Each structure stands twice: as C-alpha cells, then as structure tokens.
Amino acid sequence: MIRLLCVIAGPYAADTPALVQANTDRAARLGRLAVRHGYAPIIPHVHGHAGIYGSAADNGSATDPVRQAALECGIRHVQLVAEMGGELWVLLKPDGTMSSGTRAERDAFVLIATGKKVRYFREAFIEEPRGVVRAGLDEAEVEVADPLVSKDHP
C-alpha cells in the first residue's frame, strides 16, 4: 500500500509544559488517526517535544532560536509534502484560529500545492467508532471529498 503523506500542523508553544504536552498529544492523536486512514503523517510536534531542535529555555517565545529552527524545519516539511502531492491537516486553537506558526505552515503549503486539500480540525475532533472524524471545518478552501472529515460537527 502506498500511503499519501500528510503533515499535522497546529499550536505547539504554550505557557506551561503541561500545555505543550497537551498540544503534542493532540497532534499525535490526529497522526494515529491519519495512519488508520491510510496516510503517512509527519508530526513536527513530536520532533520538537523530543528535543530534535534543541532544548527550549523560554517555552517557545518568538525570539527563541530553538523555536525558530523548529518553524523553519516545519515549513520545509510542509513544502516537501506539498511538492509530493500530499495534504496538510491543521489543528485549530480552541477559538477556531491558527497559531502564527501554523498559519506560516499553511501559507507555505498553499503557495506550492494550489488546489490540494487542507483539512481543518477544531479543538475537540471526535473519532467515531467506525473511524470517521466529525470536525468543524474552517475556511472556504476546504473540500470534503471523503467520509474522513464531516462538516456536521455535533
């Protein structure tokens, strides 16, 4: 089986280590769902949390060189996946917006992958017993072409 690549983008930096962990766990959970639906996900949150980019001393502030390296690498991941015809899956913040890093990744993706799918997931995406996700979708460019994502979030 040849799996379609996708990148999971979403908020990472937070005010506390517990919130960073929650952001990482949420991205990993969506990545597991992607695998079950035949995708090969790239989850930059996991790289950051594992210290691949270094050890952030100030919780990912805009001036943190570790955060900058993570953003640059995340954008490159997105560009490569876009060039290969993959998808971008965006985790939105609780208020339905994107973090600045997520927006930068999304913008990099759409510059290359014109017409390719971007999926948006609200804070509490729900995995149904049969593997279907019900998620509130944002932004007009989202296409719902299969049962993985539904516009009718309860």
Side-chain angles (χ1 to χ4, degrees):
M1 171 184 195
I2 297 176
R3 292 179 178 262
L4 181 64
L5 287 172
C6 71
V7 175
I8 308 295
Y12 176 76
D15 293 335
T16 68
L19 290 174
V20 170
Q21 181 68 52
N23 287 340
T24 301
D25 291 346
R26 192 167 153 249
R29 203 169 92 231
L30 187 57
R32 286 190 295 274
L33 180 69
V35 168
R36 284 196 298 276
H37 284 276
Y39 289 83
I42 297 171
I43 310 167
H45 293 72
V46 176
H47 300 147
H49 205 62
I52 300 298
Y53 308 116
S55 179
D58 58 2
N59 287 329
S61 74
T63 59
D64 179 6
V66 172
R67 180 174 189 264
Q68 287 307 116
L71 285 172
E72 290 170 11
C73 290
I75 287 172
R76 188 63 186 131
H77 292 146
V78 165
Q79 291 170 332
L80 289 170
V81 168
E83 290 167 3
M84 297 177 73
E87 295 180 1
L88 179 65
W89 291 20
V90 173
L91 288 165
L92 299 171
K93 296 190 317 186
D95 64 3
T97 64
M98 287 181 265
S99 68
S100 60
T102 303
R103 184 170 298 285
E105 290 171 324
R106 196 278 312 266
D107 291 349
F109 183 84
V110 298
L111 279 175
I112 295 170
T114 305
K116 296 292 181 188
K117 186 175 290 189
V118 176
R119 297 177 187 265
Y120 294 86
F121 296 86
R122 288 214 181 268
E123 182 62 23
F125 61 90
I126 300 166
E127 184 178 349
E128 298 292 335
R130 62 185 185 279
V132 175
V133 171
R134 294 187 184 278
L137 298 175
D138 210 71
E139 315 236 352
E141 71 227 34
V142 178
E143 277 184 41
V144 181
D146 59 48
L148 181 61
V149 178
S150 172
K151 287 186 179 181
D152 58 352
H153 186 15

